[in-house]
């Protein structure tokens, strides 16, 4: 009799656990759609790209070419691992409204490992250089991309800048780091 009660209790607990995990799974939002990169596409011919440094042949424009297999690489020694703050930026021809910035880590073969920016900062600046919004987060690792999504769109953005805070610059013989794409919508 006691064995039957224990078995019934265990079955009930198992059913409650399965039911609760199903409810949690159903409450999760759908996977966010990919960044449309709309502002980069719309203003492509009028954008200005800049960066702290770059390796010859891997300039900042490669982080905005819509090809994540081609990357912007910093020059030798320009890495957070060496106490520097390498950055890359895009400037719009006039202030725009930004809804989201997505940073895709370096995926350029054969340099996918040892060149990664692990933690970075996205900043949205106005035409006077004042920071309107910033977001620090991981890049790569368990999550493939960094998503900076303000609660409401940020208006008056003239420049979007990404800065490496922690990276693998000391894990490769070139002493540099890279990102694959910076998407802005």
């Amino acid at each position: 009799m006691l064995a039957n009660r224990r078995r019934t209790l265990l079955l009930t607990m198992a059913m409650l656990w399965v039911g609760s995990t199903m409810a949690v799974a159903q409450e999760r939002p759908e996977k966010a759609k990919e960044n449309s990169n709309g502002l980069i596409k719309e203003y492509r011919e009028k954008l200005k790209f800049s960066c702290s440094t770059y390796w010859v042949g891997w300039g900042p424009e490669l982080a905005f070419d819509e090809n994540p297999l081609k990357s912007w690489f910093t020059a030798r020694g320009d890495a957070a691992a060496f106490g520097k703050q390498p950055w890359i930026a895009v400037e719009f021809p006039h202030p725009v409204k930004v809804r989201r910035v997505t940073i895709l880590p370096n995926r350029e073969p054969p340099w996918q490992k040892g060149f990664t920016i692990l933690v970075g900062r996205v900043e949205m600046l106005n035409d006077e250089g004042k920071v309107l919004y910033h977001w620090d987060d991981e890049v790569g690792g368990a999550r493939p991309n960094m998503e900076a999504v303000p609660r409401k769109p940020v208006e008056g953005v003239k420049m979007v800048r990404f800065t490496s805070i922690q990276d693998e610059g000391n894990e490769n013989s070139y002493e540099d780091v890279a990102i694959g794409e910076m998407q802005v919508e």
Side-chain angles (χ1 to χ4, degrees), residues 56-175:
V56 176
W58 286 273
E61 67 282 352
L62 292 177
F64 301 93
D65 67 353
E66 298 187 62
N67 180 359
L69 298 180
K70 288 293 193 181
S71 298
W72 158 70
F73 283 83
T74 64
R76 180 179 299 277
D78 190 14
F82 300 115
K84 305 286 179 79
Q85 292 186 331
W87 58 269
I88 185 167
V90 59
E91 184 176 340
F92 295 93
H94 58 80
V96 296
K97 183 186 332 184
V98 177
R99 290 176 172 73
R100 173 167 69 167
V101 176
T102 304
I103 305 297
L104 282 62
N106 173 48
R107 297 174 179 149
E108 184 166 340
W111 303 290
Q112 297 99 327
K113 294 188 186 228
F115 299 84
T116 303
I117 295 173
L118 304 169
V119 178
R121 172 176 293 136
V122 169
E123 295 174 303
M124 299 178 196
L125 299 93
N126 67 11
D127 54 0
E128 296 172 352
K130 178 184 174 195
V131 176
L132 304 173
Y133 173 88
H134 77 276
W135 181 258
D136 294 0
D137 204 353
E138 295 178 13
V139 183
R143 290 175 290 148
N145 305 325
M146 175 182 175
E147 295 282 345
V149 184
R151 289 185 185 190
K152 62 180 187 173
V154 179
E155 300 204 33
V157 176
K158 179 76 167 154
M159 177 184 284
V160 177
R161 179 172 55 210
F162 175 73
T163 305
S164 174
I165 297 173
Q166 181 184 354
D167 58 44
E168 297 179 337
N170 60 345
E171 294 185 25
N172 69 74
S173 60
Y174 299 100
E175 300 178 341

